[in-house]
Each structure stands twice: as C-alpha cells, then as structure tokens.
Amino acid sequence: MATSTPAARTDGQPPPPPHGSAGKSGPRRDGSAGQSRRNLLHRLDVRGVPYAFIAPFFLIFGAFGLYPLLYTFWISLHRVELSSLDRMEWRGLANFTELIDDDRFWNALTNTFTIGVISTVPQLLMALGLAHLLNYRLRGSTFFRVAVLTPYATSIAAAALVFTMLFERDYGMINWGLGFLGVENIDFENQKWPAQFAISAIVIWRWTGYNALLYLAAMQAIPRDLYEAAAIDGASRWQQFRQVTVPGISATIVFTIVLSTIGATQLFGEPLIFGQGPNGISGGADNQYQTLGLLLYEEGWRNYQMGRAATIAWAMFLILILVFVLQRVVTGVRARRSARPASATRKTPATPKAPSTPSVPS
Amino acid sequence: MTIDTAPVRTDAHDRAPRAPAPAGRLRIARALRPGAGRTHHAGPLAYVLLGIAALVSLFPLYWTVVAASTDNTRISQTPPPFLPGPNLLKNLGIAWQDAAMGKAMINSLIVAGAIALSTVFFATLAGFAFAKLRFRGRNLLLLLVIGTMLVPPQLGVVPLFMMMADLGWGQTLPSVIFPTLVSAVGVFFMRQYLKEALPDELIEAGRLDGAHSLRIFWSIVLPIARPPMAVLFMITFVHAWNDFFWPFIALDMTNPTVPVALTQLSAGYVRDQSVIMAGALLGTLPLLVMFIVFGRQIVGGIMQGAVKG
C-alpha cells in the first residue's frame, strides 16, 4: 500500500518516505489493534528494508576495503615485522622520510610511471581506432567483438607466461620476426627499455579490446543527425571523427583513463612473471622494471618489513589522488575552453554517469 | 560504464513502461532514437584492419596451444614452431600433476564461483533498492558506492594479511574469498538495468497484494533480473579467476589458485617450457570455454556497463 505513484519518478531528491496509510484500495478494515500493527509492520518494511538491502555491500566494503585502507596508514607509522605481526613499534613519520630518501622508491615510481604511460596511451588510442572500425556495419561483427575481447579473459599469469616466451632473447618469436628486418636479437629481459616495452605489450594486449568495446557502446549512443549535420557542412570522414565522435564519447574516454591509471599504478603480476622467478620480485637484475607493487611486496614479504610495505601502499594511494586532482584540473580547463553541445553533459571522472541504455528488446 | 552523451535524458516521466526483455537475451546498448550510431558500411580496409586486430588478439592463445603440445627442444629451435605437436595431452597431464595445477583449478573454481555468486546476489539486492525503493540519503549512498570504485583493493594488503593471520585464515581460501564478496561496479550495473527493465507498476501491484519487500524481491525482481545477473556472474567470475595480487600474497604453493600456481611454474620449479605452457593453457581453458559459449552475452554486458575489477 505504498503511496508512491509511478509517474513521480524524480531522480533529484527522494520524496519523503510514504506514511503507511492504509488508503488507496484494499478492503476496509475496522480500526483495530491488528490493523495498526499491520501498519507498523508495513511502515517498517517500507522504511527499513531499503537499508537492509544495501547494508551487506557497505558492511563488507567497510570491513575489507575501507578499514584496511585506514589501518594501512596506522601501520605505516610503525615498525612491524612479518615474523611478529602483533608487535608494533611506534616510528612516527620515519617510514615516510626513509622512503623519500630511498633510491629504490624513486626508481619504482619512475618505472611505474613510464610503463604506465607506454602501456596506457597506445592502448587507448588503438582502442579508439578499433571502436571506430567496429562501429561500421560489419559482417561478422559479433565474431570481431568477441575476438578482440578474448585477451581480457586470459589470466594475467597465462598471458605473461606466453609473452615472456614470445619475447625470449634467443629463440623468441618476436626476435625471429625482427631478424627478417635485419634487427639483431634484443635482450628483452635484461635491458631497461625493451623490458618495459615487453611488459607494456602484455598490458596493451589484454586491455585494448575491452576499452574498444566501452568506446563502441558510447559511439552507438551518438545521434546520427549530428553526423548528418556535419556531413552537410562538408566535414570529411576524418573531421567527423574528430568533431563528432571524439567529443561525443569524451566522458567515456575520461572514464577509461581513470580506470587505466588505477590499473597502471597497481601493476604487479606482469613484471613479476616476466622476470621469471627470483628476478621477478626485484623487477629484473637491476630493478630496471620494478614497479611500486613489486617493491611493496619485496619490502613486506621478502624483507619482512610490513610497516614499510604499508608506507608504500599509502604512498601509492596519495599518488593516485594527486593524479586525479591533476586530471580534474586539466579536464576542467579543457571543458571551459570548448563547451561543445555534444559534450555538454560532460561528467567528472569521479562519477561515471549512468549508461543510458534503454535498449529496445531486439 | 557507457555514458550518455545526448543532451536529453530519457528518464522523462512520460515514458511508457516497457515490457522487460525476454529472459536469456541480453539487450545491447543502443540509443533510444532510431538510427543512432553510424551506418556506414565497412570497406575492405576496415575488414583488413579488423582481421589483423583479431589475429593479434587470438594468436598468443593459439601459440600457447602450439607450445604446450611440443617439447623443449622444438620450442627453442629457429624458426619457432607454428603447428601443434604430438605432446599436448602428455604435457597437460604433467602440469596437472606436478605443478599442482589440478588442485589450483579446483581452488580457483571454488573461489571464483563463491565470489561471483555472492557478488551477484548482493548487487541485485542493493541495485534493486537503489533503482526502485525510496529512502532517505539514497543518492548520497549511491555516490558513496561509486566512490568506492576508486579505491584500489590492493592498497589494503598489509592489514588484510594481518587480519587473516589473526582470524587463523592464513593460506586458506576464505582469506581470498571474503575481501571480494561485493563489488561496487556490480551494484551500479544492476541498478542501471533494473531502473529500465522493472516497471514500477509491477512493484505497486505486489504491494497492493500485501507482499512485503523481500517477497517482492523474490517473486518479481529476481525473475526479471535474470539476464543481467547471468552476465554479471560471468564477468565477476572472469575477474575473480584472474585476480593476482592478493591471492599471491595470501596463499602459498600448498594451496594455490591458478595464477599463483602459474607463478611457481615460471619461477623455475618446472624446467620444461612446454609444460609451463600447458599449465598456462589449463589456467585459461575454463574462461575460454565460457567465452566461446557466452561471448556474445559477455560483450553485451560489458557494453551495457563497464565491469572492471
């Protein structure tokens, strides 16, 4: 007997909770105690149940997501050894100052940044091109979509193993192919830039198709009359792509940048396996591809310094926040400069907006 | 997360409620207006480029099969082998036995299955509440849910490790299952779907019949939500199966999941490259089968709402 009418679906503010008036219909009851009890139950149901439905999410996230994050900060102020986890010795900010003076940290930070850039930028550019191709009327479009998404279903470990073999120095397929171009065999594992390039290749291979599908979904929501108008104005295909397609999916592009940035910061499995064993955790013999994730693991589970590991985790978190703040500033400036009708509903990266996919049952 | 870029929201009040999609078919994102998107036909160049993209995407997997079916000497010859050899079953057997891949597969099935089930269930509950129920603070709480997406779970590994040690769950599967029982992306995904697919009239009718919310959820929402639940299950399963960082820390070789066992494979415990590749093939096989069977639905699901870790 809720009193909400289906027409009043506002997305703005929730209307005041309905007071369980036994009204609109139903048999008339005499105002007895039974009825008021039923009313009370009904009110409890309507008011309380929504919270009960969303409670599990918040409880579990609180216990295993938020609490560990905050506790990480607390641990980072202490000396904690892996062998005696219950002994915490107060150090204040000493872990942080030591980290800032630590060359390994800066090395890992630089590596994370460079691998992040050379894996994310080409990946998203290729995804954009791929989405554009998939947006044509195609025969076998489902096959192509599933095919480019398949790497996403490959486990990081399996993908890293395969690519490690493909990039092998003496008999790897990549060097064999480069041999035809007259290139000497490259020692992908032990040289800095080739190693970082090989690791980025694994990331690019796994995620390009996935991002392409996100772009494709956004492209399909662009009204066709925008293209028609552009064509009437004499815009070439390329200009249409630049002036209509890209602005039209700008919010999705921002969203994928956010996701890829988070992913790049956390990079761990690919370099670990690429290094094959003992060299994996240190990110190569000279730490030439040790990422922040690997350094965190090395400090905590190889050097037994959990306090330092927590410090690195917290530093990663701060770096992420910094990146997002910078990004907000940049997109804010860009948005003010070009207020295009197509991208008028630009959303901030923090709130990726609802997909409006009121799809027609086909 | 597909993002609406048209200036007009389609959530207007005058939208006639539409019948829900037939169960079992996932509806793929399309704008409401007829003729949205591009309708240019692909030229030969587009097919060539897409062919290359498909080839690059699939070749490493094909080559995994090739490498897993030969032996060490053949792998290390130049030119490298391009056709499968005779040893596939033998190598798979060795990987299954010696490299603990058998145990790892069973562990991963348990972990990914449990995580996917619980994610889908809680996401449907919460998604329904956010889509159709009115309560104080709904929008703020939804914003909070979305905000949690930006917190990478890896950052809490140090205290998580300590918590699991305290609970006595060290090196056990629950230590891997519990931290990922819910997913913000899942909640959001279900909310988006139910907003569109679940007519308010149905809920009203249920209320008028005196059904309480749980009953409504059970007999009205769940049947309608079946298709996106299936898709969310598969996508969550893929992620849980491939999850690496935390399981690598939480588990050891006596009780690994697939990625953990694969790390050990490459770390010099197994000298035989073709056996390593057989392990990699085993570790990806269940997901590949799922993709071959349900690829279209998974693609549709990802296009409906981004689902990433």
Side-chain angles (χ1 to χ4, degrees):
Chain A
M1 272 156 253
T3 51
S4 55
T5 52
R9 276 179 52 198
T10 50
D11 261 357
Q13 288 160 339
H19 40 87
S21 62
K24 292 199 318 192
S25 70
R28 275 192 52 214
R29 300 193 194 82
D30 39 355
S32 63
Q35 195 204 329
S36 67
R37 225 190 73 220
R38 195 170 302 137
N39 261 347
L40 178 72
L41 276 180
H42 178 78
R43 241 200 328 257
L44 268 180
D45 181 48
V46 167
R47 288 208 182 162
V49 157
Y51 296 108
F53 279 9
I54 61 174
F57 173 84
F58 284 104
L59 287 175
I60 294 173
F61 176 79
F64 295 106
L66 188 64
Y67 167 74
L69 186 71
L70 299 175
Y71 194 37
T72 298
F73 182 65
W74 183 241
I75 296 171
S76 71
L77 304 175
H78 294 79
R79 180 194 187 94
V80 188
E81 304 239 348
L82 185 65
S83 48
S84 53
L85 289 175
D86 43 359
R87 284 228 324 271
M88 292 176 75
E89 182 190 323
W90 177 258
R91 297 198 76 204
L93 291 174
N95 280 332
F96 285 90
T97 50
E98 279 173 18
L99 191 69
I100 287 175
D101 288 336
D102 191 344
D103 289 341
R104 291 173 314 149
F105 170 70
W106 293 107
N107 173 57
L109 183 59
T110 320
N111 289 341
T112 306
F113 180 77
T114 50
I115 296 176
V117 170
I118 55 182
S119 61
T120 302
V121 175
Q123 178 196 134
L124 295 184
L125 287 174
M126 288 199 297
L128 197 58
L130 197 54
H132 181 72
L133 292 172
L134 288 167
N135 202 14
Y136 284 117
R137 290 213 158 187
L138 283 172
R139 287 210 190 114
S141 66
T142 302
F143 164 77
F144 286 121
R145 287 177 192 182
V146 174
V148 298
L149 191 67
T150 310
Y152 154 89
T154 314
S155 92
I156 293 178
L161 285 173
V162 177
F163 274 76
T164 304
M165 287 195 70
L166 293 175
F167 280 110
E168 217 279 337
R169 186 188 60 194
D170 298 323
Y171 51 83
M173 196 169 293
I174 308 276
N175 272 337
W176 176 72
L178 288 174
F180 288 107
L181 306 173
V183 180
E184 286 287 304
N185 277 11
I186 299 172
D187 187 351
F188 280 101
E189 201 189 318
N190 291 314
Q191 290 181 300
K192 181 171 178 171
W193 290 111
Q196 295 202 359
F197 169 81
I199 290 163
S200 301
I202 307 171
V203 180
I204 293 171
W205 179 73
R206 279 192 74 231
W207 289 108
T208 300
Y210 176 90
N211 285 311
L213 287 184
L214 296 191
Y215 291 159
L216 176 63
M219 282 178 188
Q220 292 188 335
I222 297 176
R224 195 167 19 141
D225 41 40
L226 283 180
Y227 287 108
E228 282 164 5
I232 289 167
D233 289 344
S236 67
R237 284 277 182 93
W238 171 244
Q239 282 171 319
Q240 287 178 32
F241 179 74
R242 283 288 311 275
Q243 308 292 336
V244 180
T245 309
V246 173
I249 64 169
S250 61
T252 308
I253 293 176
V254 168
F255 176 68
T256 53
I257 292 173
V258 170
L259 284 184
S260 307
T261 307
I262 293 177
T265 322
Q266 313 297 312
L267 193 67
F268 177 78
E270 290 88 341
L272 176 84
I273 290 183
F274 183 74
Q276 292 186 318
N279 267 351
I281 290 169
S282 52
D286 304 326
N287 310 107
Q288 68 270 32
Y289 50 90
Q290 183 169 47
T291 58
L292 285 170
L294 287 172
L295 184 65
L296 188 160
Y297 182 84
E298 189 177 42
E299 279 291 25
W301 283 270
R302 189 182 267 187
N303 303 338
Y304 306 141
Q305 295 299 330
M306 299 298 267
R308 286 192 186 177
T311 312
I312 296 166
W314 195 251
M316 285 160 84
F317 187 59
L318 292 180
I319 290 163
L320 262 187
I321 290 176
L322 191 71
V323 169
F324 290 145
V325 168
L326 280 176
Q327 199 184 28
R328 288 290 292 274
V329 170
V330 171
T331 45
V333 170
R334 292 245 324 264
R336 271 199 297 280
R337 245 192 257 157
S338 63
R340 312 184 56 87
S343 57
T345 52
R346 178 190 296 277
K347 280 279 155 189
T348 56
T351 55
K353 186 158 166 276
S356 89
T357 52
S359 39
V360 190
S362 46
Chain B
M1 212 94 10
T2 43
I3 288 160
D4 175 38
T5 45
V8 187
R9 278 298 286 137
T10 47
D11 246 359
H13 311 309
D14 53 359
R15 273 266 306 289
R18 279 178 299 100
R25 301 193 56 175
L26 194 92
R27 302 141 345 122
I28 292 185
R30 289 262 188 289
L32 252 197
R33 267 167 264 80
R38 310 267 310 279
T39 51
H40 288 299
H41 284 268
L45 180 64
Y47 280 106
V48 169
L49 290 172
L50 281 170
I52 292 171
L55 191 71
V56 170
S57 299
L58 297 175
F59 180 77
L61 291 166
Y62 169 74
W63 198 77
T64 308
V65 177
V66 172
S69 62
T70 58
D71 54 50
N72 251 2
T73 45
R74 181 66 191 91
I75 283 185
S76 49
Q77 284 167 2
T78 348
F82 279 96
L83 293 174
N87 298 333
L88 183 61
L89 290 177
K90 188 184 102 187
N91 287 334
L92 286 177
I94 297 173
W96 183 271
Q97 284 292 337
D98 297 3
M101 276 311 282
K103 191 171 172 57
M105 299 272 283
I106 292 160
N107 278 346
S108 273
L109 276 176
I110 294 169
V111 167
I115 289 173
L117 272 179
S118 95
T119 298
V120 168
F121 179 72
F122 290 133
T124 313
L125 262 183
F128 165 57
F130 280 124
K132 293 292 169 182
L133 301 178
R134 288 174 180 72
F135 50 97
R136 247 181 247 278
R138 181 172 77 167
N139 294 339
L140 183 71
L141 287 166
L142 183 64
L143 211 64
L144 266 179
V145 171
I146 293 169
T148 64
M149 289 181 201
L150 299 178
V151 178
Q154 291 91 327
L155 296 184
V157 290
V158 174
L160 267 183
F161 187 82
M162 294 158 103
M163 280 160 73
M164 296 305 168
D166 278 347
L167 290 166
W169 288 355
Q171 285 81 49
T172 63
L173 296 186
S175 70
V176 178
I177 293 172
F178 270 84
T180 32
L181 279 179
V182 292
S183 111
V185 182
V187 171
F188 196 74
F189 178 73
M190 291 309 295
R191 170 186 173 263
Q192 293 314 114
Y193 181 90
L194 289 173
K195 254 182 106 79
E196 302 288 349
L198 184 64
D200 286 3
E201 288 74 5
L202 268 182
I203 301 173
E204 289 301 311
R207 289 227 186 271
L208 290 179
D209 289 344
H212 48 84
S213 299
L214 256 182
R215 180 73 202 282
I216 288 177
F217 177 76
W218 194 256
S219 10
I220 298 176
V221 180
L222 279 186
I224 284 181
R226 223 169 270 152
M229 284 169 84
V231 167
L232 184 62
F233 181 91
M234 288 190 280
I235 293 174
T236 313
F237 191 93
V238 169
H239 277 278
W241 183 276
N242 291 337
D243 194 17
F244 193 97
F245 194 35
W246 171 240
F248 182 75
I249 288 171
L251 303 174
D252 59 20
M253 264 322 278
T254 57
N255 192 28
T257 54
V258 164
V260 179
L262 287 179
T263 333
Q264 297 304 321
L265 271 184
S266 72
Y269 288 82
V270 176
R271 281 265 161 261
D272 197 330
Q273 288 284 2
S274 53
V275 172
I276 294 177
M277 286 329 263
L281 182 62
L282 271 180
T284 300
L285 212 52
L287 300 188
L288 280 185
V289 170
M290 195 156 92
F291 251 62
I292 289 163
V293 180
F294 298 109
R296 210 164 56 88
Q297 284 81 353
I298 295 174
V299 166
I302 285 176
M303 286 179 64
Q304 279 233 316
V307 181
K308 184 170 180 173

